[in-house]
PDB file of all heavy atoms in Angstrom:
ATOM      1  N   TYR A1383      11.084 -56.197  -6.672  1.00  0.00           N
ATOM      2  CA  TYR A1383      12.302 -56.947  -6.390  1.00  0.00           C
ATOM      3  C   TYR A1383      12.559 -56.938  -4.895  1.00  0.00           C
ATOM      4  O   TYR A1383      12.455 -55.906  -4.253  1.00  0.00           O
ATOM      5  CB  TYR A1383      13.495 -56.333  -7.118  1.00  0.00           C
ATOM      6  CG  TYR A1383      13.294 -56.216  -8.599  1.00  0.00           C
ATOM      7  CD1 TYR A1383      12.973 -54.996  -9.181  1.00  0.00           C
ATOM      8  CD2 TYR A1383      13.413 -57.328  -9.416  1.00  0.00           C
ATOM      9  CE1 TYR A1383      12.785 -54.889 -10.548  1.00  0.00           C
ATOM     10  CE2 TYR A1383      13.231 -57.239 -10.776  1.00  0.00           C
ATOM     11  CZ  TYR A1383      12.915 -56.009 -11.340  1.00  0.00           C
ATOM     12  OH  TYR A1383      12.731 -55.913 -12.686  1.00  0.00           O
ATOM     13  N   GLU A1392      19.223 -46.336   2.090  1.00  0.00           N
ATOM     14  CA  GLU A1392      19.325 -47.248   0.952  1.00  0.00           C
ATOM     15  C   GLU A1392      18.009 -47.342   0.193  1.00  0.00           C
ATOM     16  O   GLU A1392      18.009 -47.535  -1.029  1.00  0.00           O
ATOM     17  CB  GLU A1392      19.785 -48.626   1.439  1.00  0.00           C
ATOM     18  CG  GLU A1392      21.201 -48.598   1.976  1.00  0.00           C
ATOM     19  CD  GLU A1392      21.726 -49.957   2.380  1.00  0.00           C
ATOM     20  OE1 GLU A1392      20.906 -50.864   2.650  1.00  0.00           O
ATOM     21  OE2 GLU A1392      22.956 -50.111   2.447  1.00  0.00           O
ATOM     22  N   LYS A1416      34.960 -34.608   7.579  1.00  0.00           N
ATOM     23  CA  LYS A1416      36.021 -35.246   6.803  1.00  0.00           C
ATOM     24  C   LYS A1416      37.213 -35.637   7.664  1.00  0.00           C
ATOM     25  O   LYS A1416      37.939 -36.584   7.339  1.00  0.00           O
ATOM     26  CB  LYS A1416      36.455 -34.315   5.673  1.00  0.00           C
ATOM     27  CG  LYS A1416      35.356 -34.104   4.631  1.00  0.00           C
ATOM     28  CD  LYS A1416      35.838 -33.259   3.460  1.00  0.00           C
ATOM     29  CE  LYS A1416      34.735 -33.113   2.427  1.00  0.00           C
ATOM     30  NZ  LYS A1416      35.165 -32.294   1.258  1.00  0.00           N
ATOM     31  N   GLY A1432       5.533 -39.920  -0.263  1.00  0.00           N
ATOM     32  CA  GLY A1432       6.901 -40.321   0.031  1.00  0.00           C
ATOM     33  C   GLY A1432       6.964 -41.664   0.730  1.00  0.00           C
ATOM     34  O   GLY A1432       7.834 -42.496   0.438  1.00  0.00           O
ATOM     35  N   ALA A1593       5.949 -58.698  14.780  1.00  0.00           N
ATOM     36  CA  ALA A1593       5.025 -57.578  14.896  1.00  0.00           C
ATOM     37  C   ALA A1593       5.766 -56.303  15.283  1.00  0.00           C
ATOM     38  O   ALA A1593       6.724 -56.338  16.052  1.00  0.00           O
ATOM     39  CB  ALA A1593       3.955 -57.903  15.937  1.00  0.00           C
ATOM     40  N   THR A1617      23.862 -59.861  -2.304  1.00  0.00           N
ATOM     41  CA  THR A1617      24.454 -58.523  -2.297  1.00  0.00           C
ATOM     42  C   THR A1617      25.977 -58.608  -2.309  1.00  0.00           C
ATOM     43  O   THR A1617      26.650 -57.820  -2.973  1.00  0.00           O
ATOM     44  CB  THR A1617      23.978 -57.735  -1.060  1.00  0.00           C
ATOM     45  OG1 THR A1617      22.559 -57.599  -1.119  1.00  0.00           O
ATOM     46  CG2 THR A1617      24.609 -56.367  -1.006  1.00  0.00           C
TER      47      THR A1617
END
Side-chain angles (χ1 to χ4, degrees):
Y1383 304 102
E1392 293 184 338
K1416 294 184 178 180
T1617 299

